[in-house]
Amino acid sequence: MRRVVVTGLGMVTPLGSGVDVTWRRLLAGESGASRVEAFEVSDLPCQIACSIPRGAGEGEFDADAWMEPKEQRKVDPFIVYAMAAAKQALDDADWHPSSYEDQIVSGVLIGSGIGGIGGIHDASLLLEERGPRRISPFFIPGRLINLASGYVSIEHGLKGPNHAVVTACSTGAHAIGDAARMIALGDADVMVAGGSESPINRLSLAGFAACRALCTAFNDDPTRGSRPYDRDRDGFVMGEGAGVVVLEEYDHARARGARIYAEVIGYGMSGDAYHITAPSEDGDGAFRCMQAALKRAGIVAADLDYVNAHGTSTMADEIELRAVERLVGNAAANISMSSTKSAIGHLLGAAGAVEAIFSILAIRDQVAPPTLNLDNPSVDTPIDLVPHKARQREINVVLSNSFGFGGTNASLAFRRVDA
Amino acid sequence: MSDIAERVKKIVVEHLGVDAEKVTDSANFIDDLGADSLDTVELVMAFEEEFSVEIPDDAAETIVTVGDAIKFLEKNVAA
């Protein structure tokens, strides 16, 4: 199979618009959480979220800069975030296919967990109050999950595979893994891949709260709400945003002198076959998923330097931790593993893509981002969970985990590429 | 310009994101103002909303220019 490397990065997160601002604030230990002000939350059990900072200032997200206002009006925000992250990634990779030959080997695979749920909510009310004649012709195309890929494809002339992934909180990781496979198998030479999510609305907060998945004990102290592995954690804090990478066949990247961030060396998938929202308690699904990624990569667990955990700040954190301990055995003491959801919250379908980018940046800068709010670990572990402060260390091989509702698991492995 | 014409042109400018001077009576929504078939459906909905009038599908199909819309609405909107 052909080798696949990462040549471009883009993201919009609760820490800002862009990779640089997000990474800088993440390493500084800043949190993107705050009380939700955009709509009424007084009757919701969870009243906090990690929202994208909006505005035209440095590092802030200005939607008009990425998509014309008249187009924004037609779509849910997850499509606007995807457009922003994709443009950033393509600019970063300096890949702007203009010839037909370049366009047909360039594809897009951006997923989302719950897509246009906010717009579906609004249109449902309109249908009930005003009748079917008031439903816009843009209602369906502006809510469909694969329209993130559709819009990006049209904007950048990407005429290769045009695909989307929907696997709840594993979406972003599956999108990058599947896209890498398309390149490896020769379906494309370049893929724009990732995930996007815009879930901060009353309906989503009510729904996830009903699943008993959300943090409810920190409504008055939002930045302390997301606290993976800490004994006082009580659910995840929802986040919004998008992460997109440009993946490229190795020789294609070398031939045009592209900067190579890392190589996608492994991709593992598994199913729990256990419960619709809870992970299997023995962590078997997570274990097999990571093991499959290592096998594909042709490496052993002792080769791992850093793991970006799924770590949602729920009871499932310990299940993943035990699965990682089982995977790495005696090498546990040499591994750092953190949950960046402690800073940006849980971006659902975008989480796996944003966290894959953090893992790649960990290789570039030889630093493990911190797990915030880890004051009192709920269990002992020989693994370094990088509490509170980023850790400078040697990082050559990383693993990024994502696990989703439906018992769907994905792990991505990346390795430094020597120039 | 009549009140109706003014309101029609304002809607067209907002929905299609085009310059006001391009929105002449003879301007064709698709050929001159860059609309696609979905945009024209939404434009008709916006006219219905603005003028509290129902525009049946067969009538909507005959509205292809700004002037067509103004003419239809001047005839069908109660003064």
Side-chain angles (χ1 to χ4, degrees):
Chain A
M1 294 216 289
R2 309 197 302 168
R3 294 173 67 183
V4 181
V5 294
V6 181
T7 56
L9 308 175
M11 60 171 58
V12 180
T13 77
L15 291 179
S17 176
V19 170
D20 291 345
V21 63
T22 296
W23 183 237
R24 176 166 44 78
R25 295 185 66 194
L26 183 74
L27 294 181
E30 294 183 43
S31 165
S34 61
R35 195 174 168 81
V36 174
E37 304 286 353
F39 50 87
E40 182 60 46
V41 289
S42 61
D43 56 350
L44 292 168
C46 173
Q47 303 170 356
I48 62 174
C50 293
S51 303
I52 293 169
R54 289 163 190 279
E58 197 188 337
E60 291 179 328
F61 181 67
D62 176 14
D64 293 356
W66 306 102
M67 198 172 187
E68 280 186 55
K70 81 176 172 80
E71 294 299 322
Q72 285 175 46
R73 206 166 43 75
K74 301 171 182 174
V75 303
D76 261 46
F78 79 98
I79 292 178
V80 185
Y81 304 160
M83 286 286 276
K87 173 81 160 58
Q88 292 172 14
L90 283 161
D91 285 349
D92 188 41
D94 194 22
W95 182 244
H96 302 284
S98 53
S99 72
Y100 181 73
E101 288 70 27
D102 283 344
Q103 289 177 336
I104 62 172
V105 296
S106 303
V108 54
L109 203 174
I110 297 172
S112 181
I114 54 178
I117 194 168
I120 293 170
H121 168 259
D122 295 344
S124 302
L125 295 179
L126 190 65
L127 178 67
E128 193 60 28
E129 288 163 11
R130 307 282 306 277
R133 288 184 62 86
R134 297 259 62 84
I135 299 298
S136 162
F138 300 106
F139 167 60
I140 295 291
R143 299 333 114 188
L144 290 180
I145 281 173
N146 73 297
L147 264 283
S149 288
Y151 270 94
V152 168
S153 156
I154 293 165
E155 177 71 18
H156 299 286
L158 309 175
K159 298 182 177 177
N162 179 333
H163 211 317
V165 164
V166 182
T167 49
C169 308
S170 296
T171 297
H174 273 134
I176 291 173
D178 289 354
R181 231 162 241 198
M182 289 178 190
I183 294 172
L185 292 170
D187 298 312
D189 291 336
V190 180
M191 288 293 292
V192 178
S196 188
E197 204 77 82
S198 52
I200 303 178
N201 51 64
R202 274 175 65 77
L203 183 59
S204 302
L205 278 174
F208 280 103
C211 293
R212 301 292 185 269
L214 294 179
C215 169
T216 60
F218 291 86
N219 286 335
D220 297 322
D221 204 356
T223 62
R224 296 183 60 230
S226 187
R227 42 194 318 112
Y229 314 109
D230 188 80
R231 69 176 184 207
D232 296 324
R233 71 190 188 276
D234 77 324
F236 75 77
V237 177
M238 194 181 270
E240 60 174 346
V244 172
V245 297
V246 173
L247 302 175
E248 195 163 343
E249 193 272 325
Y250 179 72
D251 291 329
H252 189 277
R254 289 299 297 265
R256 69 183 188 91
R259 172 194 39 212
I260 295 173
Y261 283 99
E263 180 171 359
V264 185
I265 54 171
Y267 171 39
M269 294 169 277
S270 73
D272 279 359
Y274 174 72
H275 187 268
I276 53 171
T277 61
S280 64
E281 285 171 32
D282 59 6
D284 178 62
F287 175 79
R288 284 185 292 106
C289 171
M290 293 186 283
Q291 197 179 43
L294 297 186
K295 185 181 172 196
R296 177 67 61 188
I299 60 174
V300 294
D303 294 329
L304 289 175
D305 298 303
Y306 172 68
V307 177
N308 188 295
H310 185 58
T312 53
S313 188
T314 63
M315 295 324 292
D317 294 358
E318 284 172 26
I319 296 173
E320 180 187 16
L321 181 56
R322 293 305 182 217
V324 173
E325 287 175 357
R326 183 181 159 204
L327 181 82
V328 302
N330 292 333
N334 302 324
I335 288 169
S336 293
M337 164 164 136
S338 61
S339 170
T340 45
K341 289 185 178 76
S342 59
I344 62 168
H346 190 353
L347 272 61
L348 308 177
V354 168
E355 292 161 15
I357 294 172
F358 291 158
S359 303
I360 291 162
L361 294 170
I363 293 174
R364 184 191 70 179
D365 294 346
Q366 300 288 288
V367 60
T371 303
L372 305 187
N373 298 316
L374 181 47
D375 300 331
N376 301 290
S378 59
V379 288
D380 287 329
T381 178
I383 295 174
D384 165 35
L385 296 175
V386 202
H388 304 298
K389 283 190 158 56
R391 188 180 314 288
Q392 289 288 337
R393 55 158 294 163
E394 185 181 0
I395 298 178
N396 295 310
V397 180
V398 301
L399 195 66
S400 185
N401 283 338
S402 295
F403 313 130
F405 280 7
T408 174
N409 311 306
S411 294
L412 293 167
F414 300 94
R415 182 166 55 201
R416 163 194 291 281
V417 174
D418 294 319
Chain B
M1 199 166 17
S2 74
D3 168 55
I4 285 178
E6 236 171 86
R7 285 154 71 191
V8 164
K9 288 180 181 179
K10 187 161 173 279
I11 288 171
V12 173
V13 167
E14 280 169 10
H15 279 258
L16 301 183
V18 290
D19 292 338
E21 55 264 34
K22 279 190 169 174
V23 186
T24 58
D25 283 8
S26 63
N28 183 295
F29 295 124
I30 291 175
D31 296 338
D32 301 319
L33 301 178
D36 63 20
S37 60
L38 297 182
D39 289 318
T40 60
V41 173
E42 201 188 41
L43 262 185
V44 167
M45 287 174 58
F47 297 146
E48 290 184 324
E49 181 82 4
E50 171 74 15
F51 296 100
S52 304
V53 62
E54 189 165 320
I55 305 176
D57 285 352
D58 54 350
E61 281 167 21
T62 68
I63 299 176
V64 297
T65 67
V66 176
D68 293 338
I70 293 168
K71 233 177 288 168
F72 177 91
L73 291 164
E74 282 177 342
K75 202 184 297 176
N76 292 279
V77 173

